[in-house]
Amino acid sequence: CTTHSAIKIRSLLNVTAYAFTCRFLEGSVKHLVYNCSKIRGDSAVQLSILTSELKKFNNPSFELIRNLYSSHLHYDINQGRILNKYSETDITFLNQIVINRHKNVHASEQCGEWFNSNRKDITDLLKELVGLCNILEFLDSIYWDSQLQLFKP
């Protein structure tokens, strides 16, 4: 259906679904990094600095998430791929959610132009969401080994 109103409804659904999903990912990653830092025993000053830095963490592509974990937790999340907890396809799907959110939020106000440049819909999001969840599930499984003083999968 490509009527003006159908395109407007589809665009609103797409913008909302992809934006909420991307914000869910962003919030989840921030929450996990902050809580891992707290469990590790970071000081109040360190946690305050981390909170300020996390406010700048937006549009969480896999690379940005990997860099965040590496810089703040000294942990390489690629271990999850090596351990088959998630796949390259999952990474691609996560990145597609972030890209599509950006594409939707910054799209043209002309609905016909938007429609012609963005053919994704809720079916695509549901497929991509599986990859995002696989990665988040791995990130949520990481724990602090107080004996070795490092994070483990």
Side-chain angles (χ1 to χ4, degrees):
C1 189
T2 57
T3 65
H4 179 75
S5 60
I7 292 171
K8 293 290 266 188
I9 290 168
R10 179 176 167 194
S11 68
L12 181 59
L13 174 63
N14 235 336
V15 168
T16 303
Y18 274 97
F20 280 160
T21 303
C22 196
R23 293 301 179 221
F24 166 74
L25 170 62
E26 182 182 306
S28 297
V29 169
K30 288 177 179 182
H31 177 76
L32 290 167
V33 169
Y34 182 87
N35 283 310
C36 282
S37 298
K38 195 166 179 123
I39 289 167
R40 177 176 58 194
D42 286 11
S43 70
V45 171
Q46 289 170 311
L47 291 173
S48 179
I49 292 168
L50 175 61
T51 298
S52 293
E53 291 179 17
L54 289 175
K55 288 178 183 175
K56 300 172 197 163
F57 181 74
N58 299 305
N59 300 319
S61 66
F62 183 82
E63 187 68 21
L64 288 177
I65 296 168
R66 189 182 68 74
N67 291 342
L68 184 70
Y69 269 76
S70 179
S71 65
H72 290 287
L73 302 177
H74 311 292
Y75 185 80
D76 184 1
I77 66 170
N78 280 320
Q79 289 184 41
R81 192 174 36 80
I82 294 165
L83 296 169
N84 293 317
K85 300 295 184 179
Y86 62 84
S87 68
E88 282 296 325
T89 301
D90 294 331
I91 294 170
T92 300
F93 284 156
L94 181 147
N95 287 334
Q96 284 299 306
I97 288 170
V98 175
I99 290 166
N100 206 48
R101 177 234 157 248
H102 184 78
K103 185 188 282 188
N104 277 308
V105 170
H106 300 288
S108 167
E109 293 179 16
Q110 298 298 319
C111 61
E113 188 179 320
W114 176 90
F115 181 77
N116 290 328
S117 68
N118 189 351
R119 297 291 182 160
K120 288 193 172 212
D121 62 20
I122 201 72
T123 306
D124 296 302
L125 175 62
L126 293 174
K127 181 175 68 171
E128 294 162 350
L129 196 55
V130 173
L132 180 148
C133 289
N134 287 340
I135 292 169
L136 279 179
E137 186 176 339
F138 170 71
L139 296 177
D140 189 42
S141 73
I142 295 167
Y143 68 96
W144 178 248
D145 185 325
S146 57
Q147 297 260 329
L148 296 175
Q149 294 290 295
L150 54 82
F151 287 100
K152 295 176 100 176

